Amino acid sequence: MKILLNNQTLNRKLRHFDDIGFVPTMGGIHEGHISLIKRSNKICKKTIVSIFVNPKQFNNKKDFKTYPSNIKKDLSILNKIKKIDCIYIPKFKHIYSSKKKSKIRISKKDKILCAKSRKGHFEGVLDVMDRLTNLIKPKKIFMGKKDFQQLFLVKGFIEKKYKTKVIGCKTIRDKNKIALSSRNYLLNKDNLNIAGKISKNLFQLKIKIRNKKKISQFLLEEKKRLQKTFNIKIDYMELRNTKNLKISNNSIGSKIFISYYLNNIRLIDNF
Ligand code: AMP
């Protein structure tokens, strides 16, 4: 496993690579990330993992400052995975040295869910993914369905501009059904306990809405109930079609998307 700290060493390495599988991360490595790496190992000859906490995708300075990153710990976890060929750990200047020709914009119809509450977030995600794809030129990029809207927007953007395919991979959960996330490192035991209960509630909710007629109305009432029961603030809780992310009134082909604050930490998931 080669650690690459700048673009010269990256380019030198890339000369000998083809059929690259790329797993972009912001560190705080957990089993969710590892599942993406394993998927890449299975279908690509080479696997590159990046660790870069991209400041441009944080709409909140405090969120950026407190983002759980620990390179030493990450490397010790990744070291145990045999088939990672390189880990690219760039600095800000390595990613953002070149000026963009045109500003990345999210269309009006896509300003939903997280794009509505986190202004500039996905513009920052698409910018960094554009730059990383241009640098690494992977055949495939592996991303988690846990961040479904991110996957949806990145896939649309990257596959239009490059030959690269973006592959969505299933959400990895712990034994309490909590979706693994680097942000979980910021939660205490009580918070994690509540997060587990919320996940279980949402899995049940997905079953309950199967034979409901007025799903939006029902979800609104359930949103109020969950806020009260668990003393949380829910940013959104909506049923949307997984193909186009439009509001849906049919549980088939749709998912419940949720974002909520627990201990001031913003969590997202989909069921
Ligand atoms: P992050 O480091 O949070 O930016 O995530 C890097 C990649 O890992 C993204 O494509 C995420 O969607 C994916 N990911 C994060 N959590 C999970 C999870 N629990 N299961 C599967 N993939 C995940």
Side-chain angles (χ1 to χ4, degrees), residues 45-59:
K45 273 197 217 140
K46 301 283 180 190
T47 295
I48 299 186
V49 177
S50 68
I51 300 179
F52 178 60
V53 185
N54 174 32
K56 295 212 175 189
Q57 71 186 69
F58 285 82
N59 53 314

Side-chain angles (χ1 to χ4, degrees), residues 24-27 30 32-33 35-36 67 142-147 150 169-172 179-182:
T25 83
M26 298 208 296
H30 51 69
H33 297 124
S35 73
L36 306 181
Y67 194 82
F142 297 85
M143 300 185 80
K145 290 184 182 170
K146 143 91 172 50
D147 303 286
Q150 167 175 274
C169 305
K170 77 165 193 199
T171 301
I172 305 299
L180 298 183
S181 165
S182 311

Side-chain angles (χ1 to χ4, degrees), residues 49 63 98 134 164 255 263 269:
V49 177
D63 188 24
S98 65
N134 200 22
T164 307
K255 276 171 172 270
N263 195 16
D269 203 345

